Amino acid sequence: MNARDPYGTGTAPGFSTVAVHAGEPRHKAANALTTPIVQTATYTFADTQELRDHFEHRIEREEYGRYGNPTQRTAEQKLAVLEGAEDCVLMASGMAAVTTTLFAMLSRGAHVVVTNDSYRRTRQFLTQTLHRYGIECSTVPAGDYEAIAEAIRPNTRILISESPTNPYNRILDLERFADIGRRHRVKTVIDATFATPYNQQPLAWGVDLVLHSATKFLGGHNDIMAGAVLGSADLVDGIRAFHGVTGAVLDPFAAYLLIRGLKTLALRIERQNANAQAIAEFLEGHSKVQRVHYAGLPSHPEHAIARRQMRGFGGVVSFEVEGDLDAAIRVVDACRIPRIAPSLGGIESLIEQPALMSFYELTTEERLMVGIKDNLIRYAVGIEDAADLIADLAQALDLREQHP
Ligand SMILES: *Cc1c(COP(=O)(O)O)cnc(C)c1O
């Protein structure tokens, strides 16, 4: 079968055709249409000869649940095709994917460069946990390519960043980032959770590895935890082998739900892109909103880069309201449709104040040091109707005026 034209239609299939069908054998166990949940911890061998054939790689089969599961394999193959990656390994959470990847690729004496607007737990793992194992980390401002290049040392092994970033939706020029890595022979890693392969494909711009918290848009229904690592067969192989040791495996049922979520990825992301754009434009025009951080707005400092490398700008809108922590609290509490919760990317809209949800234990001054403003609100847009979400935001912002 020709990978570029698997259905013999004369053209490469579109994203949704791939999302629905890729990675799944046409004929499945029991003639099922959907991929079965293979709920097993271990796999049997007919005899010792089969065991030998397995260990000497003469046959392809499963061995034990920590090394893989057929439902997980199907989800991995589907996501690999969507991301344009040679291979994919799925894990129990996004942080399992981040930590296992970094542990697998680094050893004592190595050095990593990370950008400052990166997921808090990733930075914490780099600067605190890995530090205890003799691995050093330099943090540089997101969007400062000279600072990234200057931070590279002879022992630097990884440049890691995100695009778009959390919570400010900063956009990294992926081609430029990948180029810095290649010139210095350092591997580049992008956490692309906020974009998904529908909006952006970092591997196509030369990045070495893509990470996702599949808990977010890829699963898409706020009902599973999962993480993904995608890249060349060579790189992913090493990480998969290490993952067989650390063992944060994806449950087969979660793998099934991920497959189910991936099939509607394009539909959901198109809707979330459109909803987020409408909300961002509404907020930008509102007198009680000081600033909106969304790459789909021409006022966004990296709008041009985003337009070049993204199909859409994603489903997260961050904005600063006029006033302090309490002013933002009043807006969050007055919203009636989005629920107050961490996370993003699901069909339900969620709202939160990063200052409280992710940085609760810090003082206002400490939060400002890491760039988190008290009046910042992060709106993770779901698939509800944009008109309803906007009407709800309008009443929440207006309510503030009545109770200053
Ligand atoms: C949520 C998130 C993670 C962590 O993923 P979990 O599935 O919660 O472990 C990592 N990176 C980004 C950008 C995220 O949003």
Side-chain angles (χ1 to χ4, degrees):
M1 201 161 70
N2 177 355
R4 297 205 56 130
D5 183 16
Y7 311 111
T9 56
T11 51
F15 193 95
S16 275
T17 306
V18 172
V20 171
H21 295 288
E24 302 197 50
R26 242 176 134 71
H27 298 285
K28 304 180 185 76
N31 297 310
L33 172 65
T34 55
T35 291
I37 302 169
V38 183
Q39 193 69 44
T40 188
T42 192
Y43 304 86
T44 61
F45 291 84
D47 51 27
T48 305
Q49 186 54 47
E50 190 175 351
L51 186 69
R52 286 211 159 98
D53 288 343
H54 167 63
F55 282 119
E56 288 165 25
H57 307 292
R58 282 190 293 270
I59 54 171
E60 235 183 84
R61 49 154 294 152
E62 301 296 350
E63 177 193 328
Y64 180 61
R66 202 171 61 252
Y67 308 128
N69 172 282
T71 316
Q72 172 194 348
R73 300 264 184 237
T74 295
E76 286 173 347
Q77 281 159 20
K78 189 184 284 295
L79 188 52
V81 178
L82 291 175
E83 190 74 64
E86 268 177 27
D87 202 0
C88 167
V89 57
L90 287 168
M91 302 190 194
S93 70
M95 280 316 295
V98 170
T99 56
T100 305
T101 297
L102 292 170
F103 263 138
M105 294 174 74
L106 296 166
S107 29
R108 174 175 291 279
H111 173 252
V112 182
V113 180
V114 66
T115 51
N116 61 358
D117 196 17
S118 292
Y119 192 67
R120 190 178 178 206
R121 299 296 175 205
T122 300
R123 282 189 287 128
Q124 185 182 341
F125 180 70
L126 281 165
T127 56
Q128 293 173 29
T129 312
L130 289 185
H131 183 74
R132 293 197 283 112
Y133 296 86
I135 294 161
E136 288 177 283
C137 178
S138 301
T139 305
V140 299
D144 188 341
Y145 302 92
E146 269 152 38
I148 295 174
E150 274 167 22
I152 294 174
R153 308 174 187 169
N155 58 337
T156 305
R157 294 287 168 270
I158 292 177
L159 308 182
I160 181 165
S161 190
E162 298 174 17
S163 194
T165 65
N166 175 35
Y168 287 109
N169 273 319
R170 297 292 307 270
I171 304 295
L172 189 72
D173 185 329
L174 295 172
E175 195 171 23
R176 216 167 148 185
F177 181 70
D179 190 53
I180 296 171
R182 238 190 338 271
R183 275 192 283 120
H184 292 86
R185 297 173 182 278
V186 176
K187 294 281 181 251
T188 46
V189 181
I190 286 290
D191 179 336
T193 298
F194 271 49
T196 83
Y198 183 77
N199 278 337
Q200 164 188 288
Q201 302 199 314
L203 300 173
W205 296 102
V207 168
D208 292 306
L209 272 180
V210 171
L211 308 179
H212 288 286
S213 168
T215 310
K216 314 292 170 54
F217 292 100
L218 301 182
H221 294 72
N222 288 319
D223 55 5
I224 58 164
M225 299 291 300
V229 183
L230 299 115
S232 70
D234 210 33
L235 276 178
V236 173
D237 238 26
I239 295 161
R240 179 183 279 115
F242 186 71
H243 177 236
V245 178
T246 54
V249 294
L250 186 68
D251 183 80
F253 186 49
Y256 172 83
L257 289 174
L258 178 56
I259 292 168
R260 183 183 165 118
L262 287 175
K263 291 187 190 208
T264 56
L265 186 64
L267 294 173
R268 289 186 287 106
I269 301 296
E270 271 171 21
R271 177 62 165 246
Q272 284 167 300
N273 285 343
N275 279 358
Q277 184 73 34
I279 287 172
E281 286 170 12
F282 162 75
L283 289 170
E284 192 167 52
H286 198 286
S287 60
K288 295 287 163 192
V289 175
Q290 282 180 347
R291 195 156 167 211
V292 184
H293 305 271
Y294 188 67
L297 296 175
S299 60
H300 185 284
E302 289 126 359
H303 178 64
I305 303 170
R307 280 182 68 117
R308 193 170 67 238
Q309 69 188 22
M310 299 179 81
R311 178 174 1 208
F313 307 107
V316 178
V317 179
S318 294
F319 60 102
E320 295 166 39
V321 294
E322 210 159 74
D324 54 7
L325 189 76
D326 289 329
I329 288 174
R330 282 194 293 274
V331 175
V332 167
D333 286 349
C335 281
R336 294 186 189 135
I337 296 178
R339 305 302 306 268
I340 301 174
S343 203
L344 55 113
I347 53 177
E348 297 94 353
S349 286
L350 302 177
I351 195 164
E352 58 139 307
Q353 271 175 281
L356 297 181
M357 191 63 82
S358 303
F359 297 86
Y360 194 87
E361 72 282 10
L362 304 191
T363 63
T364 295
E365 289 69 34
E366 286 169 331
R367 285 196 286 260
L368 277 177
M369 297 249 297
V370 289
I372 299 298
K373 295 187 187 172
D374 279 352
N375 63 341
L376 182 72
I377 294 174
R378 189 184 80 179
Y379 199 121
V381 182
I383 63 162
E384 300 95 334
D385 292 279
D388 295 331
L389 299 180
I390 288 171
D392 181 40
L393 268 170
Q395 65 81 21
L397 286 160
D398 289 346
L399 198 72
R400 262 197 60 214
E401 281 181 284
Q402 290 154 27
H403 309 280

